[in-house]
Amino acid sequence: MASRRTYLVLGVLLFVWAELGTKGQEEEEEETCRLMRKFDLNGYVDAKNHSIIIGGLFPIHSRTIPENESSFEPVSAQCEGFNFRGFRWMKTMIHTIQEINERKDILPQHTLGYQIFDTCCTVSKAMESAVVMLMGQEENKPNIRNSTGAYLLGVIGSGGSALSIATSRLLSLYRLPQMGYASTTTLLSDDIEFSTYFRTIASDKIQAHAMVKLVQHFGWVWVGTIASDDDYGKYGVKEFKANLEGLNICIAFSETIPKVYSNEKMQKAVNAIKGSSAKVIVLYASDLDLSPFVLEMVYHNITDRTWIASEAWITSALLAKPEYFPYFGGSIGFAVPRSDIPGLKEFLYDVHPSKDPNDVLTIEFWQTAFNCTWPNSSVPYNLDHRVNMTGKADRLEATSDRLCTGEERLEDLKNTYLDVSQLRITNNVRQAVYALAYIMEFLSKCKAGIPPEANSRCSELKTIEPWSLVNTLHLTSYKILDEIPVKFKSSGDITSGHYDILNWQLEGSKEVVFVKVGEYKFDEYKVEFILPRNSTIFWNTVSSKVPHSVCTDLCPPGSRKVIEYGKEICCFTCVPCADGYVSEKPDKRECTKCGEDYWSNEDRSKCVLKEVEFLAYDEALGFTLVILSILGALVALAVTVVYVLYRRTPLVQANDRELSFLIQVALLIIMLSSLIFIGKPHTWSCRARQVTLALGFTLCLSSILGKTISLFLAYRISASKTRFLSMRPVFRKLIVLLSVLVETGICIAYLLMRPPRVYKNMESQVIKIILECNEGSIEFLCVVFGVDVLLAFLCFLSSFVARQLPDNYYEGKCITFGMLAFFIIWISFVPAYLSTKGKFKVAVEIFAILASSYGLLGCIFAPKCFIILLRPKRNTAETVGGRVPTADKSIQLTSASVSSERNETAVSTVLDD
C-alpha cells in the first residue's frame, strides 16, 4: 500500500506540474520552473507524420552502472550489459508497427509511430521512461499523453514483472492502457490496482499449476525452489507452493538469488542446494538474473540436479550454452508457444551503424557482437561493473584494440538477436502491438452510410478517451492472420492459450537445443496436461533415468509411514505393520487389519489364510495315537477271541462270562472311539466323540460294577467264616442295563438341548485357527461323565473291600489295581488337559482314554489270558472251583475264580450262569 500511495502522489505532482506549467505560459510569469537536468535515456522515437504513437519499454541493457555514493545529487544512471534478446524484442515492435502501417485493413486513415526506451532491467529507468512518455523533457511544456505531439495510444512493456508493476501504477493514474509481453506475476491480475494492465502472456497462476502437474506426473515429492529477489520470482514461487497444498508434495528448501550480487545470499542458496537431498529444483527467475547463479553452479561443480524452468529462461540462449550443459542439461520447463513472424529475419539483418551515426544502441550492438570498437564513436565498449564471485567490486572496462571495419557479416554471428528459431516472447510483443492497433481500429471505424454523429462506434481520434480503450479491450477479441484469437479477462489476462513443455538436450557436442516433449493447454473451463509416454526426455542423472527426488523413500509394502515430529510430511520413518495388519501397497499411512480367518504373512504385505490346526491323521502325533488305538482295539478283540474259544473252560465261566464279554466289547468301543477325536472336527464328530466315549465307559464300568458287587456280596464273612452269600445273574445284568439307559437318556438330552459344535478358537494362538469342538454345555458334559465317575468310584470301593478274599477264589485284587490305575490316569489328566492348547489338548484326552483302557484291559484280563494260554493246567474245575491248600504254592491262582466249597460241611452256591 505504501508503494501505491507513492505512485499516486507522484501522479498528482505530475498533474499539478502540468497545470502550473500551463498557467505559467498563459500568464507569462517572469520566473518559471527550470529542469535541473534530464533523464539519461536511450531508445528510438518515430513520431513525425504519425497521428498515433505507441510507447515501448524494453530491457536493451541488463543493468545500470552503480552510482557514485559520494555524490549527494540525484542522477539518472547509465546502463551496461547489452542484452541481445531485449534488442530483438524492440526491433520486433518496430517491425510490427511498420507491418500494420503497410496494411489497408487496419487504421487506413492513420499511421502508427513509436516512442521506445531502454529500461535497463531496473525500476528506476522504467519509471523515467514512463514519465518521459507522458510528459516529455521540455521545460514548462508538460503535455500528458502527448509528449511527442501525437496521440499516445498505449505502452508496450515493461519486460520484467517488477518493472511492469511500477510503470502500471503510474500509467493507470491516467487510465492509459499498458500491454505486457513478458510479465507473468499474479499481482498484475488485480483488476482494481492494475485496471489498465493487459498482457499477451499467461500469468504465473497458470504456469504454477502446470509445474505442479509436471511434478505430480513424475512422482516427485521433495523439491526445492529458487527465486529471483523480485516480484516475478517471489510471487511465482508463492503461487507454486499454494498449488501444492493437499498434494503431499513438500518443499525441501526455498531460497532467493539477489538482483544485485551478494556473495552471502548467493552462498546461502548454493549451500541449500548442496546440502539437500532434493534432486528436482524449481527455478523462477529471468535469464539475466540467473547469469551469476549459473556461474556459481559451475564454480561449485553442482551436477545431478534436474531444473524445472519458468518461461523466463527455458529458451534463453544466454544460458543454453554447451559449457553449461553438464550442470543445466536436461532442464525441463514451460515456454510460451513458438511462432514464425514473416519478414522479421530480414528486418533483423537490416541493421548497421553506418545508417545513423547517432544510433548509439546499434553501435553498441555492433561493438558487442563483433568484439570491436566503432571508429570515432563515443559509445563505451564492454562496460561491466558487476561484483565478482569473491564478493569484491571490480570495474571491468576495456577498449578493444581492433576497430570495426563495417564489413563484418551478421550472417557469421550466432547470438540471441539473430536466432529466429524460438520466437516466443518475441511473438508476444507482436501480439501486444496488434492488440492496441485493433482496439483503435474498432473505436475509430464508422459504419458505411451512417454519419459520425449518429454512429455510436464512430469516434474522432482526438475525442477518444483512455478509459474507452481499456473498456473495449475487456470486451473484444482480435486475431492476427491465422493465429488463435486473443481475448482478455476482466483481470487483463488472456482467456486461453498453451505452453510448450521443453527439454534441454545436446545436439552433437556443439549446440543446446530445446526439444518439445509435451504441451499444457488451458482455457476458461479446463486444462489439459499432455506428455506422451514415448517422449524422448533427456535426464541429467547418472543413470539417465527419471530422477528420484524424495525426502524418504516410499515405505515398502508391509510397513506404514510415521511422520517425524517437527518435519515435513514427506519426511517420515517406515515402521513395520503389527502382527495381523498389512499394507499391500507402498507408501501407506495406515496398515489394514486382516479378516477374522486371515493373518499377515511374514513380510506383512498380504493377508493369508490362517493355518488351521487340529490333530490330523497324517502327522506323527496323530498317526501314533491311531496306531495305539487300533492296537488296543486288536488286543481287546484278541481277548474276546480267546474267551470265545475257551468259553467252556472253568476260568472263563467263573464269575459271569457274559459280563466279561460286555467289558471286552466296551473296551473295544472305547479304543475305537478315540479315532473320532483325530482328524478335522465336524459337527457329527463333535457330537459323537464324547457321547460314544461316555456310553463306552458306562458299559464297561457298569459291567465291572456287576462283577465287584457280586464279589462284595458273594462272600460275607460271618463269625465262623463258613457261609457264602449269592447274587442272581439277572440282577447283575439289570445293573448294566439300568446304568446304560440312564447314561443314554442324559446323552440324548445333551444332544437335543445343548449339543457340541465345531468352534474356531482364535484366542489361544493369533496366528492359527485351532479347529476344535465346543462342548456346548459344560454342565451337561459334567453330568454325562459324572455317571461314569460314580460307577468307577463304586467299582473301586466294592473291589477294594473284596481284595481280602482268597486269591485263588476271586479277582478282587486285579479289579482293584485296574480301578486304581483308572483313577490315577484321569486325575492326572485334568491338570494336563487344562494346561495344554490346540491339538495337544485333544492328544492328552486321547492318551488318557487309551491309557485307562489299556490299564483295565491289562489288569482284568491279562492274568486270565496268561493262565488260559500259558498255564492250562491251572484252568481246571478243581483249581478254579475248590480250595487249594496253602502249602501247595505251585497251583495257587493269580486271579480268583468263583466257586463254592464242595468239601466238609459247607453248602456251595455256584455264582456263574
Side-chain angles (χ1 to χ4, degrees), residues 742-812:
V742 170
E743 184 73 357
T744 303
I746 297 174
C747 290
I748 292 173
Y750 175 36
L751 294 177
L752 292 177
M753 298 178 67
R754 297 290 295 277
R757 65 185 185 278
V758 179
Y759 171 64
K760 294 180 179 180
N761 185 352
M762 301 180 185
E763 292 79 19
S764 299
Q765 296 188 41
V766 293
I767 63 174
K768 295 180 180 179
I769 297 176
I770 301 175
L771 206 60
E772 58 187 16
C773 291
N774 186 311
E775 306 303 342
S777 173
I778 299 297
E779 294 79 8
F780 260 119
L781 190 66
C782 291
V783 172
V784 168
F785 284 99
V787 174
D788 294 333
V789 173
L790 178 62
L791 292 174
F793 184 71
L794 294 175
C795 289
F796 178 73
L797 286 179
S798 58
S799 63
F800 181 77
V801 173
R803 77 188 189 284
Q804 300 294 337
L805 299 177
D807 200 31
N808 58 325
Y809 289 95
Y810 300 96
E811 52 187 358

Side-chain angles (χ1 to χ4, degrees), residues 252-269:
F253 59 87
S254 187
E255 299 293 339
T256 58
I257 52 178
K259 297 282 286 186
V260 178
Y261 188 89
S262 168
N263 186 62
E264 180 181 356
K265 293 181 179 179
M266 190 68 77
Q267 293 307 314
K268 183 181 178 183

Side-chain angles (χ1 to χ4, degrees), residues 149 177 209 251 318 352 377 551 553 648 775 784-785 795 811 903:
H209 189 269
I251 301 298
L318 180 66
H352 200 280
S377 173
C551 180
D553 285 326
R648 304 294 182 185
E775 306 303 342
V784 168
F785 284 99
C795 289
E811 52 187 358
N903 303 319

